Amino acid sequence: GEMCDLLFKDSRKGKSYVVKRMRKGVKEAFLEYECLKTDNELSLVKVLLHTGRTHQIRVQFASRKMPLAGDRKYGGNDEFKDIGLMSSGISFGHPKNNEKMEFTAEASEFISKYFKSVE
């Protein structure tokens, strides 16, 4: 699926919010997602960010009543000590020569904190 919202970052409160109309300080936020696994009330979701707004993934999912596990700031439960969010990869152009820099991480250990079996 896809999520496209207008996000407002409130620096005084340290939170971002989905809003209905464009105004000063509001920016568009767009991501794509794929549900990879569901176990009880948890889902493992792969997200591709097209924009990089403050707390974007957390805010967009929470606004749809699907807060991230352990994300107490945006409505997640207290069952987990850590927030259920991990970057599995990032790429960008090197600031001096624009050579593509790419970094990846294995997610299996992270996922095993939240799911009984990792496929």
Side-chain angles (χ1 to χ4, degrees), residues 13-117:
K13 293 183 180 178
K15 285 182 79 171
S16 293
Y17 301 89
V18 171
V19 296
K20 294 186 186 295
R21 62 180 177 81
M22 188 58 78
R23 63 180 192 255
K24 185 178 178 184
V26 172
K27 295 181 179 179
E28 186 175 272
F30 179 66
L31 62 78
E32 293 178 75
Y33 67 91
E34 178 184 0
C35 185
L36 303 176
K37 178 180 179 131
T38 299
D39 182 9
N40 295 320
E41 293 186 15
L42 293 177
S43 294
L44 176 63
V45 179
K46 181 178 181 178
V47 175
L48 175 62
L49 283 173
H50 291 278
T51 53
R53 308 297 179 215
T54 301
H55 301 172
Q56 179 178 341
I57 296 169
R58 299 165 69 184
V59 174
Q60 287 189 279
F61 277 88
S63 74
R64 290 163 173 83
K65 308 287 187 245
M66 299 181 290
L68 277 59
D71 188 2
R72 290 175 270 306
K73 183 173 220 159
Y74 290 101
N77 59 27
D78 291 335
E79 181 181 345
F80 301 99
K81 179 180 150 196
D82 300 317
I83 186 170
L85 182 62
M86 176 192 168
S87 174
S88 63
I90 187 170
S91 65
F92 52 88
H94 189 280
K96 290 192 177 182
N97 60 17
N98 207 31
E99 180 182 340
K100 185 177 181 179
M101 306 291 293
E102 194 165 5
F103 303 90
T104 60
E106 179 58 49
S108 61
E109 184 179 323
F110 175 80
I111 294 168
S112 66
K113 287 187 199 178
Y114 300 93
F115 293 92
K116 292 174 185 66
S117 62

